[in-house]
Amino acid sequence: MKSSIFKPFLFIALAAVTMGCLQSCKPKGTQSAAVGDASKAYVAPGKYDEFYNFVSGGFSGQMSVYGIPSGRLFRVIPVFSVDPEKGYGYSEETKAMLNTSHGFVPWDDLHHIALSETDGIQDGRWVFGNGNNTPRIARVDLKTFKTAEIIEIPNSAGNHSSPFITENSEYVVAGTRFSIPMDNSNGDVPINTYKQNFKGTVSFIAVDKTTGNMNIAFQILLPGVNFDLARAGKGKSHGWMFFSCYNSEKANTLLEVNASQKDKDFIMAVNWKKAEEYVKAGKGKKVPVKYAHNIYDEQKHMATSIIEKEVTMLDSKELADMVYLMPCPKSPHGCDTDPTGEYIVGSGKLAAMIPVFSFTKIQDAIAAKNYEGEYDGIPVLKYDAVLHGEVKKPGLGPLHTEFDDKGFAYTSFFVSSEIVKWNVKTLEVVDRVPTYYSVGHLSIPGGPTKKPWGKYLIAYNKITKDRYLPTGPELAQSAQLFDISGDKMKMILDFPTIGEPHYAEAIPADLIAKNSQKIYKIEENKNPYATLGDKFARVERKGNEIHVYMTSIRSHFTPDNIEGVKMGDMVYFHVTNLEQDWDVPHGFAVKGANNAELLIMPGETQTLAWKPEKPGVYPMYCTDFCSALHQEMQGYIRVSPAGSSVPLTFSTGKTEPVATTATEKK
Ligand code: K7E
Ligand code: CUA
């Protein structure tokens, strides 16, 4: 208590010193220690990487895919942000993916990655990511590397402790960072009534075993603290979920000081099997809410969005034996469970040690009701009763812990810019290595699962400073690859990243590569605007709408000359790529379009809406270099004044357009 006021300032001063150093000097020995042996990361041209690495894009809202150990970037998957490169969020078919209860939201902040699991082992089917700002969870299908589904999370704000997955992908969970007045209450309250009116929730989103489709099975109503991160129990602790919480002070202003008053915040343990029983027994309340649920149909090549109206809420105050709190030193950030499921590691950002909790001891303490008290009606277990032990003096500012296949844990230290390796059982520190600079998350292939694949560790650094050639005020964030196959960690590669990565997960390449889809079968194309052959290509007028049913195949569009569009018309180009070969997308762009291009995969149909601004002739062309005659893949569309008598015509390969009428088809 006596030291509680100056401690935060001490920390800030400490951080300031460290930051000052980052700005003015390199750590000692930078030149020797910071240069790794890149030969271990070398993957020869034409050779494949051992692992796929799915990396969150942070404020880019996307997910990127790298090869490990080479650090080669393969792809950026658009998830929560529009992507003009792929037409994502711009094409008529994909716009609905970004629908929310707030309308179209074309951006988010993606922090965490969760690969699907079976039996606690990565299965390579789906990867999930969180939208932090407008609470959402996305599911990416790893056959197509496309975002297949996005579900919004009601009663939530700042969806940070999300998505974390259970060992058979029963659930992905989402905890709210900000506590808020609940969606169905009067939210128009003074902010300083936080303690009375603000609540937290965690959500359990069920994942369908076959389709992967998500639905919010239940939410748990909780005290108004901040939920930061989470991990599922596994093995013996399967059925439990652990969340880190800070701001147990319930401050609503200047949290850097006011949420750092207490010596301990909490790790929250949720018995979700118990929660399931309560739901089955009808103990949940149906609460009115509004949230969007968006699904991309692979055969229609089209997303639909529906607004859901209700969620099942379990109240932690009323329902016993479901939620417990464990004191955890000073504003825990990471909350990680080891591969055996026995140990739960809390990482107090402001603590000078790492507490490790024991699942067995937690169960014993619960059975013996070994509580030190209650917090908002939730039992608080005694710290000493549930503690396995503390890693002493590991470093400054512990954030996240990842695990290898040999019983070691690796914790990132933001303030002291280092990774510390320690033995999970004995809690002994066995190695430490600097990172450049200010590391956030760590990632070991399979690290959060029952079966870490080990071998490599990737550090995601927040600051790069002098690591790369300067690029003006804005610098890349950086990943650093370490070889962890021996006793000592060895840095072997640096590579810049997209956006600001937080968490990432890596998975053996063969779990995904063998299932990777090459084309969409044209005979399975159920898009209502598909044109399944050149002979069906056509242009139709419906009032002020012009529908262009267009095909693309090397190296022309059908039709490629269109006349009779008038000012005031809305033109929809429905482009079907008729190719059935791998790696032959076609693009489509029209001059002056206010949206983006389309990038259409073989067998796929996508639609671009275009409203011409003045009469004239507008060129359109293929944007993706598809053959030696790609540059010939082009056409024109003529726009006439409103009320003009130019008939609607279309053609390909004719110098005289063929007349058509609105009713003529095929
Ligand atoms: Cu960056 Cu997981 Cu959002 Cu820590 S979190 S670094
Ligand atoms: Cu089609 Cu270039």
Side-chain angles (χ1 to χ4, degrees):
M1 198 57 184
K2 54 185 172 349
S3 61
S4 62
I5 287 174
F6 73 80
K7 262 194 184 164
F9 294 107
L10 179 72
F11 170 72
I12 291 159
L14 189 66
V17 168
T18 312
M19 296 297 287
C21 183
L22 284 178
Q23 277 155 28
S24 57
C25 57
K26 290 182 188 180
K28 301 263 179 290
T30 299
Q31 285 320 320
S32 52
V35 179
D37 172 10
S39 67
K40 290 209 162 168
Y42 181 70
V43 178
K47 295 285 186 221
Y48 289 160
D49 278 279
E50 264 178 277
F51 296 96
Y52 283 97
N53 190 22
F54 294 89
V55 182
S56 65
F59 45 64
S60 84
Q62 318 293 45
M63 213 184 265
S64 44
V65 188
Y66 290 83
I68 296 294
S70 73
R72 296 181 294 193
L73 173 66
F74 298 145
R75 188 168 162 70
V76 175
I77 304 171
V79 181
F80 294 114
S81 298
V82 292
D83 181 359
E85 178 193 332
K86 298 173 179 66
Y88 180 82
Y90 291 102
S91 73
E92 295 306 296
E93 281 83 357
T94 55
K95 278 180 181 166
M97 288 305 282
L98 301 178
N99 190 40
T100 73
S101 63
H102 305 271
F104 182 76
V105 177
W107 169 87
D108 218 307
D109 184 15
L110 196 165
H111 282 217
H112 303 119
I113 299 287
L115 281 165
S116 57
E117 295 177 24
T118 303
D119 267 338
I121 300 171
Q122 295 168 331
D123 61 22
R125 302 174 75 192
W126 307 298
V127 59
F128 298 84
N130 66 322
N132 210 357
N133 183 54
T134 303
R136 290 175 278 180
I137 290 183
R139 177 175 57 88
V140 171
D141 190 322
L142 292 178
K143 283 200 312 289
T144 58
F145 284 60
K146 277 197 183 192
T147 303
E149 188 178 7
I150 293 181
I151 194 164
E152 195 181 353
I153 315 293
N155 294 321
S156 180
N159 176 38
H160 192 262
S161 55
S162 164
F164 291 92
I165 198 159
T166 56
E167 71 176 30
N168 290 297
S169 305
E170 293 96 338
Y171 297 103
V172 287
V173 306
T176 188
R177 167 186 172 179
F178 296 93
S179 280
I180 40 159
M182 291 292 93
D183 290 0
N184 67 334
S185 69
N186 172 24
D188 179 17
V189 294
I191 297 165
N192 65 13
T193 63
Y194 186 104
K195 290 189 173 78
Q196 298 92 278
N197 290 322
F198 290 45
K199 293 273 178 278
T201 60
V202 297
S203 308
F204 283 72
I205 295 112
V207 179
D208 185 273
K209 279 194 163 27
T210 314
T211 62
N213 283 345
M214 299 183 278
N215 80 81
I216 302 178
F218 57 89
Q219 295 191 305
I220 301 179
L221 186 67
L222 292 158
V225 300
N226 291 41
F227 294 95
D228 208 3
L229 286 151
R231 277 293 181 202
K234 51 193 104 149
K236 60 168 71 167
S237 54
H238 179 58
W240 288 74
M241 196 86 203
F242 303 93
F243 296 84
S244 55
C245 330
Y246 62 104
N247 194 20
S248 55
E249 296 85 350
K250 296 188 183 164
N252 57 280
T253 179
L254 202 60
L255 265 64
E256 68 170 323
V257 174
N258 294 331
S260 307
Q261 298 298 307
K262 293 191 182 171
D263 280 339
K264 294 198 172 65
D265 289 278
F266 300 116
I267 299 260
M268 178 175 79
V270 173
N271 180 344
W272 59 257
K273 295 254 174 175
K274 192 77 198 171
E276 283 179 339
E277 285 171 26
Y278 283 135
V279 172
K280 263 199 201 119
K283 296 282 159 82
K285 288 195 189 89
K286 302 280 180 207
V287 177
V289 285
K290 252 180 90 178
Y291 63 96
H293 188 185
N294 313 329
I295 297 184
Y296 195 78
D297 182 316
E298 250 190 41
Q299 300 209 311
K300 290 188 177 148
H301 306 290
M302 187 179 277
T304 48
S305 176
I306 52 167
I307 297 289
E308 308 264 15
K309 299 262 167 59
E310 198 176 70
V311 80
T312 300
M313 185 74 79
L314 298 172
D315 192 337
S316 64
K317 254 189 193 164
E318 291 167 9
L319 302 169
D321 309 327
M322 180 173 70
V323 182
Y324 300 90
L325 296 169
M326 308 188 285
C328 182
K330 304 235 73 147
S331 303
H333 186 57
C335 166
D336 297 287
T337 52
D338 89 311
T340 67
E342 169 63 13
Y343 301 111
I344 300 115
V345 180
S347 295
K349 304 187 281 282
L350 309 183
M353 50 78 170
I354 306 170
V356 180
F357 300 95
S358 150
F359 182 72
T360 309
K361 288 187 172 180
I362 294 168
Q363 295 309 300
D364 293 348
I366 290 171
K369 295 207 182 326
N370 203 351
Y371 305 149
E372 65 168 46
E374 277 195 352
Y375 182 87
D376 279 19
I378 301 174
V380 180
L381 299 165
K382 280 202 183 121
Y383 180 68
D384 291 331
V386 293
L387 190 72
H388 163 60
E390 294 170 348
V391 183
K392 304 285 186 200
K393 299 219 167 92
L396 291 173
L399 290 186
H400 298 283
T401 299
E402 196 88 339
F403 303 90
D404 71 8
D405 50 338
K406 300 187 187 90
F408 293 101
Y410 301 74
T411 301
S412 58
F413 288 84
F414 178 83
V415 177
S416 54
S417 268
E418 60 188 333
I419 304 167
V420 173
K421 175 180 176 182
W422 49 278
N423 183 304
V424 179
K425 275 209 183 110
T426 66
L427 306 174
E428 246 177 308
V429 171
V430 296
D431 190 24
R432 62 177 67 232
V433 63
T435 59
Y436 305 89
Y437 309 96
S438 302
V439 57
H441 274 274
L442 300 174
S443 171
I444 290 173
T449 72
K450 265 159 82 173
K451 185 171 178 175
W453 312 98
K455 201 160 176 181
Y456 300 109
L457 175 149
I458 306 131
Y460 291 93
N461 300 319
K462 302 299 187 188
I463 294 171
T464 42
K465 290 289 172 196
D466 51 9
R467 294 299 290 179
Y468 303 114
L469 289 172
T471 54
E474 189 182 354
L475 300 174
Q477 266 78 18
S478 177
Q480 286 183 314
L481 180 69
F482 294 81
D483 175 0
I484 56 164
S485 55
D487 289 344
K488 299 278 170 203
M489 296 176 269
K490 289 200 184 99
M491 192 208 297
I492 56 176
L493 189 70
D494 261 15
F495 56 97
T497 52
I498 307 272
E500 186 197 32
H502 294 258
Y503 192 48
E505 263 200 68
I507 174 170
D510 56 0
L511 288 178
I512 290 181
K514 61 176 191 287
N515 299 323
S516 194
Q517 189 167 322
K518 295 191 163 69
I519 59 162
Y520 295 98
K521 288 190 184 136
I522 194 78
E523 65 271 19
E524 290 174 3
N525 183 328
K526 298 281 185 303
N527 185 299
Y529 301 101
T531 308
L532 301 180
D534 285 350
K535 63 182 180 216
F536 305 120
R538 64 198 187 273
V539 181
E540 290 175 359
R541 172 179 288 283
K542 276 191 188 135
N544 280 339
E545 290 181 1
I546 301 287
H547 291 269
V548 180
Y549 295 83
M550 184 182 264
T551 61
S552 60
I553 195 159
R554 282 161 289 179
S555 291
H556 61 274
F557 293 109
T558 306
D560 68 1
N561 279 210
I562 299 165
E563 299 196 1
V565 174
K566 294 174 197 164
M567 285 307 297
D569 285 346
M570 185 68 163
V571 182
Y572 294 96
F573 296 96
H574 308 289
V575 188
T576 300
N577 179 347
L578 294 178
E579 306 282 354
Q580 290 287 274
D581 279 346
W582 194 22
D583 205 9
V584 195
H586 292 287
F588 177 83
V590 59
K591 184 183 174 187
N594 291 147
N595 32 32
E597 67 159 348
L598 298 174
L599 192 61
I600 314 137
M601 298 302 123
E604 197 180 33
T605 301
Q606 290 287 290
T607 300
L608 194 77
W610 175 64
K611 193 154 194 192
E613 291 220 310
K614 58 177 188 199
V617 171
Y618 292 81
M620 49 201 184
Y621 73 101
C622 170
T623 53
D624 187 314
F625 209 106
C626 49
S627 78
L629 296 171
H630 154 79
Q631 204 68 353
E632 281 69 18
M633 196 164 175
Q634 65 170 54
Y636 291 103
I637 182 163
R638 174 183 168 192
V639 178
S640 305
S644 109
S645 59
V646 176
L648 190 65
T649 59
F650 65 91
S651 67
T652 312
K654 296 207 173 62
T655 42
E656 294 291 320
V658 176
T660 181
T661 69
T663 52
E664 192 178 332
K665 282 188 188 161
K666 289 189 182 175

